Short mmCIF file of all heavy atoms in Angstrom, two decimals:
data_model
loop_
_atom_site.label_atom_id
_atom_site.label_comp_id
_atom_site.label_asym_id
_atom_site.label_seq_id
_atom_site.Cartn_x
_atom_site.Cartn_y
_atom_site.Cartn_z
N MET A 131 108.01 116.70 124.11
CA MET A 131 107.47 116.90 122.76
C MET A 131 107.66 115.78 121.93
O MET A 131 106.90 115.52 120.99
CB MET A 131 108.15 118.12 122.14
CG MET A 131 107.77 119.46 122.67
SD MET A 131 105.99 119.77 122.71
CE MET A 131 105.58 119.82 121.02
N ALA A 132 108.63 114.82 122.27
CA ALA A 132 108.83 113.65 121.51
C ALA A 132 107.58 112.76 121.57
O ALA A 132 107.18 112.17 120.56
CB ALA A 132 110.09 112.86 121.97
N ALA A 133 106.98 112.68 122.73
CA ALA A 133 105.72 111.86 122.93
C ALA A 133 104.61 112.44 122.08
O ALA A 133 103.90 111.66 121.42
CB ALA A 133 105.38 111.80 124.35
N VAL A 134 104.43 113.71 122.16
CA VAL A 134 103.39 114.39 121.34
C VAL A 134 103.60 114.19 119.86
O VAL A 134 102.75 113.88 119.15
CB VAL A 134 103.35 115.89 121.68
CG1 VAL A 134 102.47 116.62 120.65
CG2 VAL A 134 102.89 116.07 123.05
N GLY A 135 104.89 114.26 119.47
CA GLY A 135 105.15 114.15 117.99
C GLY A 135 105.04 112.75 117.51
O GLY A 135 104.92 112.43 116.31
N SER A 136 105.08 111.81 118.41
CA SER A 136 104.99 110.33 118.03
C SER A 136 103.50 109.87 117.96
O SER A 136 103.25 108.77 117.45
CB SER A 136 105.70 109.48 119.11
OG SER A 136 104.93 109.44 120.29
N LEU A 137 102.59 110.69 118.25
CA LEU A 137 101.17 110.31 118.09
C LEU A 137 100.69 110.12 116.69
O LEU A 137 101.04 110.96 115.83
CB LEU A 137 100.22 111.37 118.73
CG LEU A 137 100.23 111.43 120.25
CD1 LEU A 137 99.34 112.62 120.67
CD2 LEU A 137 99.68 110.13 120.88
N ASP A 138 100.06 109.02 116.38
CA ASP A 138 99.57 108.74 115.03
C ASP A 138 98.06 108.78 115.11
O ASP A 138 97.45 108.09 115.83
CB ASP A 138 100.11 107.35 114.62
CG ASP A 138 99.50 106.98 113.25
OD1 ASP A 138 100.04 107.34 112.28
OD2 ASP A 138 98.56 106.20 113.29
N ASP A 139 97.52 109.70 114.23
CA ASP A 139 96.08 109.85 114.27
C ASP A 139 95.29 108.48 114.13
O ASP A 139 94.30 108.19 114.80
CB ASP A 139 95.64 110.79 113.29
CG ASP A 139 95.96 112.28 113.60
OD1 ASP A 139 96.52 112.48 114.66
OD2 ASP A 139 95.75 113.14 112.76
N GLY A 140 95.83 107.75 113.16
CA GLY A 140 95.13 106.42 112.84
C GLY A 140 95.14 105.47 113.99
O GLY A 140 94.24 104.85 114.36
N ALA A 141 96.34 105.51 114.70
CA ALA A 141 96.43 104.56 115.92
C ALA A 141 95.52 105.03 117.03
O ALA A 141 94.91 104.28 117.73
CB ALA A 141 97.97 104.48 116.32
N VAL A 142 95.45 106.36 117.23
CA VAL A 142 94.65 106.96 118.27
C VAL A 142 93.16 106.56 117.96
O VAL A 142 92.42 106.17 118.87
CB VAL A 142 94.83 108.42 118.43
CG1 VAL A 142 93.78 108.98 119.44
CG2 VAL A 142 96.28 108.72 118.95
N LEU A 143 92.71 106.78 116.67
CA LEU A 143 91.34 106.48 116.33
C LEU A 143 91.05 105.04 116.52
O LEU A 143 89.91 104.61 116.91
CB LEU A 143 91.08 106.89 114.90
CG LEU A 143 91.08 108.43 114.71
CD1 LEU A 143 90.81 108.81 113.22
CD2 LEU A 143 89.99 109.11 115.60
N ALA A 144 92.06 104.09 116.23
CA ALA A 144 91.88 102.69 116.49
C ALA A 144 91.66 102.37 117.94
O ALA A 144 90.89 101.59 118.32
CB ALA A 144 92.99 101.90 115.88
N ASP A 145 92.48 103.09 118.81
CA ASP A 145 92.33 102.93 120.24
C ASP A 145 90.91 103.37 120.74
O ASP A 145 90.32 102.70 121.55
CB ASP A 145 93.40 103.71 120.99
CG ASP A 145 94.79 103.08 120.89
OD1 ASP A 145 94.93 101.93 120.46
OD2 ASP A 145 95.80 103.73 121.28
N VAL A 146 90.49 104.49 120.21
CA VAL A 146 89.17 104.98 120.54
C VAL A 146 88.06 104.00 120.15
O VAL A 146 87.22 103.77 120.86
CB VAL A 146 88.90 106.35 119.94
CG1 VAL A 146 87.46 106.82 120.15
CG2 VAL A 146 89.90 107.42 120.54
N ALA A 147 88.21 103.47 118.92
CA ALA A 147 87.26 102.44 118.41
C ALA A 147 87.22 101.25 119.33
O ALA A 147 86.11 100.73 119.72
CB ALA A 147 87.63 102.06 116.97
N ALA A 148 88.41 100.75 119.77
CA ALA A 148 88.47 99.64 120.71
C ALA A 148 87.79 99.89 122.07
O ALA A 148 86.97 99.22 122.58
CB ALA A 148 89.89 99.23 120.94
N LEU A 149 87.93 101.19 122.51
CA LEU A 149 87.36 101.59 123.75
C LEU A 149 85.83 101.72 123.61
O LEU A 149 85.09 101.24 124.47
CB LEU A 149 87.94 102.97 124.14
CG LEU A 149 87.32 103.65 125.36
CD1 LEU A 149 87.61 102.80 126.65
CD2 LEU A 149 87.75 104.99 125.52
N LEU A 150 85.39 102.30 122.43
CA LEU A 150 83.98 102.38 122.25
C LEU A 150 83.28 101.01 122.15
O LEU A 150 82.13 100.82 122.57
CB LEU A 150 83.65 103.23 121.07
CG LEU A 150 84.05 104.69 121.22
CD1 LEU A 150 83.80 105.44 119.86
CD2 LEU A 150 83.15 105.45 122.29
N ASP A 151 83.99 100.02 121.48
CA ASP A 151 83.52 98.69 121.41
C ASP A 151 83.39 98.08 122.82
O ASP A 151 82.29 97.42 123.04
CB ASP A 151 84.35 97.84 120.54
CG ASP A 151 84.36 98.19 119.05
OD1 ASP A 151 83.39 98.86 118.71
OD2 ASP A 151 85.25 97.79 118.32
N ALA A 152 84.36 98.27 123.70
CA ALA A 152 84.31 97.70 124.99
C ALA A 152 83.13 98.38 125.79
O ALA A 152 82.41 97.69 126.54
CB ALA A 152 85.57 97.93 125.71
N VAL A 153 82.98 99.75 125.65
CA VAL A 153 81.86 100.42 126.40
C VAL A 153 80.56 99.85 125.86
O VAL A 153 79.60 99.67 126.69
CB VAL A 153 82.05 101.88 126.18
CG1 VAL A 153 80.80 102.64 126.71
CG2 VAL A 153 83.23 102.38 126.96
N ALA A 154 80.43 99.64 124.59
CA ALA A 154 79.14 99.22 124.08
C ALA A 154 78.70 97.83 124.60
O ALA A 154 77.47 97.53 124.64
CB ALA A 154 79.22 99.07 122.50
N GLU A 155 79.69 97.08 125.10
CA GLU A 155 79.30 95.75 125.61
C GLU A 155 78.90 95.84 127.04
O GLU A 155 78.36 94.88 127.69
CB GLU A 155 80.57 94.84 125.53
CG GLU A 155 80.87 94.46 124.08
CD GLU A 155 82.08 93.61 123.95
OE1 GLU A 155 82.53 93.01 125.02
OE2 GLU A 155 82.62 93.47 122.84
N ASP A 156 79.14 96.99 127.67
CA ASP A 156 78.74 97.23 129.12
C ASP A 156 77.26 97.50 129.21
O ASP A 156 76.80 98.48 128.63
CB ASP A 156 79.55 98.31 129.72
CG ASP A 156 79.42 98.50 131.13
OD1 ASP A 156 78.41 98.10 131.76
OD2 ASP A 156 80.30 99.02 131.75
N PRO A 157 76.51 96.63 129.97
CA PRO A 157 75.11 96.99 130.04
C PRO A 157 74.77 98.22 130.81
O PRO A 157 73.66 98.79 130.59
CB PRO A 157 74.57 95.70 130.80
CG PRO A 157 75.75 95.06 131.38
CD PRO A 157 76.90 95.47 130.61
N ALA A 158 75.66 98.78 131.55
CA ALA A 158 75.45 100.04 132.22
C ALA A 158 75.61 101.28 131.31
O ALA A 158 75.24 102.35 131.71
CB ALA A 158 76.32 100.19 133.45
N ALA A 159 76.23 101.08 130.13
CA ALA A 159 76.48 102.21 129.32
C ALA A 159 75.24 102.56 128.50
O ALA A 159 74.47 101.70 128.08
CB ALA A 159 77.63 101.77 128.31
N GLY A 160 75.06 103.83 128.26
CA GLY A 160 73.99 104.30 127.57
C GLY A 160 74.23 104.20 126.07
O GLY A 160 75.39 103.90 125.62
N THR A 161 73.19 104.35 125.24
CA THR A 161 73.33 104.24 123.79
C THR A 161 73.02 105.58 123.08
O THR A 161 72.93 105.57 121.89
CB THR A 161 72.35 103.17 123.25
OG1 THR A 161 71.04 103.54 123.62
CG2 THR A 161 72.79 101.79 123.80
N ALA A 162 72.90 106.64 123.88
CA ALA A 162 72.58 107.96 123.25
C ALA A 162 73.82 108.51 122.46
O ALA A 162 74.90 107.94 122.56
CB ALA A 162 72.32 109.00 124.39
N ALA A 163 73.55 109.55 121.80
CA ALA A 163 74.61 110.19 120.99
C ALA A 163 75.77 110.64 121.84
O ALA A 163 75.61 110.82 123.04
CB ALA A 163 74.03 111.39 120.23
N LYS A 164 76.99 110.73 121.29
CA LYS A 164 78.13 111.04 122.01
C LYS A 164 78.73 112.39 121.61
O LYS A 164 78.43 112.95 120.58
CB LYS A 164 79.20 110.02 121.75
CG LYS A 164 78.85 108.52 122.13
CD LYS A 164 79.85 107.61 121.63
CE LYS A 164 79.39 106.21 121.75
NZ LYS A 164 78.39 105.84 120.86
N GLY A 165 79.52 112.91 122.62
CA GLY A 165 80.24 114.17 122.35
C GLY A 165 81.68 113.91 122.74
O GLY A 165 81.97 112.95 123.45
N ALA A 166 82.58 114.79 122.23
CA ALA A 166 83.98 114.62 122.50
C ALA A 166 84.67 116.01 122.77
O ALA A 166 84.19 117.02 122.25
CB ALA A 166 84.70 113.97 121.34
N VAL A 167 85.64 116.01 123.64
CA VAL A 167 86.33 117.21 124.03
C VAL A 167 87.83 116.92 123.96
O VAL A 167 88.31 115.86 124.40
CB VAL A 167 85.93 117.68 125.47
CG1 VAL A 167 86.77 118.89 125.86
CG2 VAL A 167 84.45 117.90 125.55
N GLY A 168 88.52 117.86 123.35
CA GLY A 168 89.97 117.75 123.29
C GLY A 168 90.69 119.07 123.59
O GLY A 168 90.19 120.13 123.25
N LEU A 169 91.90 118.96 124.09
CA LEU A 169 92.73 120.14 124.38
C LEU A 169 94.04 120.03 123.72
O LEU A 169 94.61 118.89 123.81
CB LEU A 169 92.88 120.30 125.89
CG LEU A 169 93.87 121.41 126.37
CD1 LEU A 169 93.27 122.79 126.06
CD2 LEU A 169 94.09 121.27 127.83
N CYS A 170 94.46 120.97 123.04
CA CYS A 170 95.79 121.04 122.38
C CYS A 170 95.88 119.98 121.32
O CYS A 170 95.08 119.95 120.35
CB CYS A 170 96.98 120.90 123.40
SG CYS A 170 98.59 121.31 122.71
N VAL A 171 96.75 118.96 121.37
CA VAL A 171 96.84 117.90 120.37
C VAL A 171 95.56 117.10 120.43
O VAL A 171 95.09 116.57 119.38
CB VAL A 171 98.07 117.02 120.59
CG1 VAL A 171 98.04 115.90 119.66
CG2 VAL A 171 99.37 117.86 120.37
N GLY A 172 94.98 116.97 121.60
CA GLY A 172 93.71 116.21 121.73
C GLY A 172 92.56 116.93 120.99
O GLY A 172 91.63 116.24 120.53
N ALA A 173 92.73 118.18 120.71
CA ALA A 173 91.73 118.95 119.95
C ALA A 173 91.81 118.52 118.50
O ALA A 173 90.77 118.26 117.86
CB ALA A 173 92.02 120.38 120.09
N ARG A 174 93.01 118.34 118.01
CA ARG A 174 93.13 117.87 116.58
C ARG A 174 92.58 116.43 116.50
O ARG A 174 91.85 116.12 115.56
CB ARG A 174 94.64 117.81 116.25
CG ARG A 174 94.81 117.30 114.70
CD ARG A 174 96.22 117.04 114.41
NE ARG A 174 96.67 115.71 114.92
CZ ARG A 174 97.80 115.48 115.55
NH1 ARG A 174 98.62 116.46 115.67
NH2 ARG A 174 98.08 114.32 116.05
N LEU A 175 92.81 115.59 117.52
CA LEU A 175 92.27 114.26 117.53
C LEU A 175 90.78 114.23 117.59
O LEU A 175 90.13 113.40 117.05
CB LEU A 175 92.91 113.41 118.57
CG LEU A 175 94.44 113.24 118.32
CD1 LEU A 175 95.09 112.68 119.60
CD2 LEU A 175 94.72 112.41 117.16
N THR A 176 90.24 115.23 118.33
CA THR A 176 88.74 115.42 118.38
C THR A 176 88.24 115.64 117.07
O THR A 176 87.22 115.13 116.66
CB THR A 176 88.34 116.45 119.42
OG1 THR A 176 88.85 116.07 120.70
CG2 THR A 176 86.90 116.70 119.40
N PHE A 177 88.83 116.55 116.30
CA PHE A 177 88.37 116.90 114.93
C PHE A 177 88.40 115.64 114.09
O PHE A 177 87.53 115.25 113.36
CB PHE A 177 89.30 117.86 114.28
CG PHE A 177 89.03 119.39 114.70
CD1 PHE A 177 90.08 120.11 115.01
CD2 PHE A 177 87.79 119.87 114.69
CE1 PHE A 177 89.93 121.43 115.42
CE2 PHE A 177 87.58 121.26 115.04
CZ PHE A 177 88.66 121.97 115.38
N ARG A 178 89.47 114.80 114.18
CA ARG A 178 89.57 113.58 113.38
C ARG A 178 88.50 112.56 113.81
O ARG A 178 87.95 111.91 112.96
CB ARG A 178 90.99 112.96 113.64
CG ARG A 178 92.09 113.79 113.16
CD ARG A 178 92.18 113.69 111.66
NE ARG A 178 93.50 114.27 111.26
CZ ARG A 178 93.74 114.73 110.02
NH1 ARG A 178 92.77 114.62 109.18
NH2 ARG A 178 94.93 115.23 109.76
N LEU A 179 88.22 112.51 115.09
CA LEU A 179 87.20 111.55 115.61
C LEU A 179 85.81 111.92 115.07
O LEU A 179 85.07 111.08 114.58
CB LEU A 179 87.18 111.53 117.12
CG LEU A 179 86.07 110.65 117.74
CD1 LEU A 179 86.25 109.20 117.49
CD2 LEU A 179 86.17 110.94 119.32
N LEU A 180 85.49 113.23 115.15
CA LEU A 180 84.22 113.68 114.69
C LEU A 180 84.03 113.46 113.17
O LEU A 180 82.96 113.07 112.72
CB LEU A 180 84.05 115.19 114.94
CG LEU A 180 83.99 115.55 116.49
CD1 LEU A 180 83.95 117.03 116.61
CD2 LEU A 180 82.81 114.91 117.18
N ALA A 181 85.12 113.63 112.38
CA ALA A 181 85.07 113.36 110.95
C ALA A 181 84.99 111.83 110.60
O ALA A 181 84.28 111.40 109.74
CB ALA A 181 86.35 113.97 110.29
N ALA A 182 85.64 111.00 111.44
CA ALA A 182 85.64 109.62 111.28
C ALA A 182 84.33 108.89 111.67
O ALA A 182 83.97 107.84 111.12
CB ALA A 182 86.76 108.98 111.95
N ARG A 183 83.65 109.48 112.63
CA ARG A 183 82.38 108.87 113.13
C ARG A 183 81.25 109.87 113.26
O ARG A 183 80.71 110.10 114.31
CB ARG A 183 82.68 108.29 114.56
CG ARG A 183 83.71 107.15 114.48
CD ARG A 183 84.05 106.68 115.90
NE ARG A 183 84.79 105.49 115.91
CZ ARG A 183 84.20 104.29 116.16
NH1 ARG A 183 82.94 104.16 116.43
NH2 ARG A 183 84.98 103.24 116.07
N PRO A 184 80.85 110.45 112.10
CA PRO A 184 79.80 111.45 112.09
C PRO A 184 78.43 111.01 112.57
O PRO A 184 77.69 111.80 113.07
CB PRO A 184 79.81 112.09 110.72
CG PRO A 184 80.29 110.88 109.90
CD PRO A 184 81.32 110.22 110.76
N ASP A 185 78.12 109.76 112.43
CA ASP A 185 76.87 109.23 112.81
C ASP A 185 76.77 108.96 114.31
O ASP A 185 75.64 108.76 114.88
CB ASP A 185 76.45 108.04 112.05
CG ASP A 185 76.31 108.34 110.55
OD1 ASP A 185 76.04 109.40 110.20
OD2 ASP A 185 76.52 107.32 109.76
N GLU A 186 77.94 108.92 114.88
CA GLU A 186 77.98 108.48 116.28
C GLU A 186 78.16 109.74 117.34
O GLU A 186 77.65 109.71 118.38
CB GLU A 186 79.17 107.57 116.56
CG GLU A 186 79.10 106.51 117.54
CD GLU A 186 80.23 105.53 117.46
OE1 GLU A 186 80.78 105.28 116.34
OE2 GLU A 186 80.57 105.05 118.51
N PHE A 187 78.93 110.68 116.79
CA PHE A 187 79.21 111.86 117.62
C PHE A 187 78.48 113.08 117.11
O PHE A 187 78.50 113.45 115.95
CB PHE A 187 80.76 112.17 117.66
CG PHE A 187 81.48 111.19 118.53
CD1 PHE A 187 81.84 110.01 118.00
CD2 PHE A 187 81.80 111.57 119.78
CE1 PHE A 187 82.54 109.08 118.84
CE2 PHE A 187 82.57 110.61 120.61
CZ PHE A 187 82.87 109.41 120.15
N VAL A 188 77.76 113.70 117.98
CA VAL A 188 76.91 114.88 117.58
C VAL A 188 77.46 116.25 118.05
O VAL A 188 76.97 117.22 117.66
CB VAL A 188 75.43 114.72 118.06
CG1 VAL A 188 74.74 113.50 117.46
CG2 VAL A 188 75.38 114.68 119.55
N ALA A 189 78.50 116.21 118.87
CA ALA A 189 79.00 117.40 119.39
C ALA A 189 80.50 117.26 119.66
O ALA A 189 80.94 116.12 119.96
CB ALA A 189 78.28 117.85 120.61
N GLY A 190 81.26 118.33 119.55
CA GLY A 190 82.72 118.27 119.94
C GLY A 190 83.14 119.63 120.28
O GLY A 190 82.63 120.57 119.67
N ALA A 191 84.14 119.66 121.07
CA ALA A 191 84.78 120.90 121.50
C ALA A 191 86.24 120.79 121.33
O ALA A 191 86.81 119.78 121.88
CB ALA A 191 84.40 121.34 122.89
N ALA A 192 86.93 121.65 120.68
CA ALA A 192 88.35 121.65 120.42
C ALA A 192 88.90 122.92 121.04
O ALA A 192 88.68 123.94 120.41
CB ALA A 192 88.69 121.46 118.96
N MET A 193 89.61 122.74 122.14
CA MET A 193 90.06 124.01 122.80
C MET A 193 91.66 124.04 122.57
O MET A 193 92.40 123.12 122.74
CB MET A 193 89.82 123.85 124.27
CG MET A 193 88.31 123.90 124.59
SD MET A 193 87.96 123.49 126.24
CE MET A 193 88.17 121.72 126.19
N HIS A 194 92.06 125.20 122.08
CA HIS A 194 93.48 125.48 121.80
C HIS A 194 94.10 124.35 120.96
O HIS A 194 95.10 123.71 121.19
CB HIS A 194 94.29 125.62 123.05
CG HIS A 194 95.68 126.02 122.89
ND1 HIS A 194 96.14 127.02 122.06
CD2 HIS A 194 96.83 125.56 123.39
CE1 HIS A 194 97.40 127.16 122.10
NE2 HIS A 194 97.89 126.23 122.90
N PRO A 195 93.52 124.12 119.70
CA PRO A 195 93.97 122.99 118.88
C PRO A 195 95.44 123.32 118.40
O PRO A 195 95.80 124.43 118.03
CB PRO A 195 93.00 123.01 117.68
CG PRO A 195 92.30 124.31 117.74
CD PRO A 195 92.48 124.85 119.15
N SER A 196 96.22 122.25 118.32
CA SER A 196 97.60 122.35 117.84
C SER A 196 97.81 121.34 116.72
O SER A 196 97.17 120.24 116.69
CB SER A 196 98.56 121.98 118.95
OG SER A 196 98.45 122.91 120.01
N PHE A 197 98.72 121.64 115.82
CA PHE A 197 99.10 120.78 114.74
C PHE A 197 97.93 120.34 113.84
O PHE A 197 97.83 119.23 113.40
CB PHE A 197 99.80 119.48 115.27
CG PHE A 197 100.95 119.77 116.16
CD1 PHE A 197 100.92 119.64 117.54
CD2 PHE A 197 102.15 120.30 115.64
CE1 PHE A 197 101.95 119.88 118.43
CE2 PHE A 197 103.18 120.57 116.45
CZ PHE A 197 103.12 120.41 117.81
N CYS A 198 97.00 121.30 113.55
CA CYS A 198 95.85 120.98 112.78
C CYS A 198 96.10 121.19 111.30
O CYS A 198 95.61 120.51 110.50
CB CYS A 198 94.71 121.84 113.17
SG CYS A 198 93.94 121.37 114.74
N VAL A 199 97.01 122.12 111.00
CA VAL A 199 97.33 122.36 109.54
C VAL A 199 98.65 121.70 109.23
O VAL A 199 99.63 121.91 109.88
CB VAL A 199 97.36 123.88 109.28
CG1 VAL A 199 97.76 124.15 107.83
CG2 VAL A 199 96.03 124.48 109.64
N THR A 200 98.62 120.83 108.21
CA THR A 200 99.79 120.19 107.80
C THR A 200 99.96 120.34 106.27
O THR A 200 99.11 120.84 105.59
CB THR A 200 99.68 118.63 108.20
OG1 THR A 200 98.64 118.06 107.36
CG2 THR A 200 99.39 118.48 109.65
N ASP A 201 100.97 119.64 105.75
CA ASP A 201 101.24 119.57 104.29
C ASP A 201 100.42 118.40 103.65
O ASP A 201 100.54 118.19 102.44
CB ASP A 201 102.75 119.48 103.99
CG ASP A 201 103.42 120.74 104.36
OD1 ASP A 201 102.81 121.78 104.29
OD2 ASP A 201 104.64 120.70 104.66
N GLU A 202 99.80 117.63 104.54
CA GLU A 202 99.04 116.36 103.96
C GLU A 202 97.83 116.78 103.23
O GLU A 202 97.17 117.82 103.55
CB GLU A 202 98.71 115.50 105.13
CG GLU A 202 99.91 114.99 105.89
CD GLU A 202 100.86 114.20 105.05
OE1 GLU A 202 100.45 113.35 104.29
OE2 GLU A 202 102.14 114.48 105.16
N PRO A 203 97.25 115.89 102.27
CA PRO A 203 96.14 116.24 101.60
C PRO A 203 94.89 116.36 102.43
O PRO A 203 93.89 117.09 101.99
CB PRO A 203 95.91 115.05 100.58
CG PRO A 203 97.25 114.29 100.66
CD PRO A 203 97.98 114.68 101.96
N ASP A 204 94.80 115.79 103.52
CA ASP A 204 93.59 115.90 104.36
C ASP A 204 93.68 117.03 105.43
O ASP A 204 92.81 117.13 106.23
CB ASP A 204 93.32 114.57 105.12
CG ASP A 204 94.43 114.18 106.05
OD1 ASP A 204 95.54 114.80 106.09
OD2 ASP A 204 94.21 113.29 106.93
N SER A 205 94.65 117.94 105.25
CA SER A 205 94.68 119.11 106.11
C SER A 205 93.49 119.99 105.86
O SER A 205 93.01 120.17 104.73
CB SER A 205 96.01 119.88 105.74
OG SER A 205 96.09 120.99 106.63
N PRO A 206 92.94 120.54 106.97
CA PRO A 206 91.73 121.37 106.81
C PRO A 206 92.03 122.67 105.92
O PRO A 206 91.10 123.24 105.45
CB PRO A 206 91.38 121.75 108.17
CG PRO A 206 92.47 121.39 109.04
CD PRO A 206 93.38 120.46 108.31
N THR A 207 93.26 123.16 105.87
CA THR A 207 93.46 124.28 105.00
C THR A 207 94.79 124.20 104.24
O THR A 207 95.56 123.35 104.51
CB THR A 207 93.60 125.62 105.80
OG1 THR A 207 94.60 125.50 106.75
CG2 THR A 207 92.31 125.96 106.51
#
């Protein structure tokens, strides 16, 4: 649980941005719209990704989302 608790949404989104930049440089990669899938804490991160890149991702699935509601101002509820 220490590893899960140490995840920082901003850092994860920065890692995803770097990954997407690398993929975009690959001539074998497609340019169509993207989708994302997350499970548990990954589901929360999928929500964050979809919110951060609405023009890029057209679909997402969040299964058994965890730690989605917080005391922070950007909490969904």
Side-chain angles (χ1 to χ4, degrees):
M131 287 307 294
V134 170
S136 71
L137 288 174
D138 175 81
D139 291 354
V142 172
L143 291 176
D145 287 348
V146 170
L149 175 68
L150 292 173
D151 289 345
V153 168
E155 294 177 14
D156 185 337
T161 58
K164 299 171 189 70
V167 177
L169 174 67
C170 195
V171 175
R174 181 191 78 224
L175 296 168
T176 296
F177 282 133
R178 297 283 191 202
L179 176 63
L180 296 174
R183 295 176 168 256
D185 296 336
E186 214 171 327
F187 285 82
V188 298
M193 296 169 284
H194 186 47
S196 299
F197 305 108
C198 288
V199 178
T200 67
D201 291 332
E202 299 300 316
D204 65 347
S205 180
T207 59

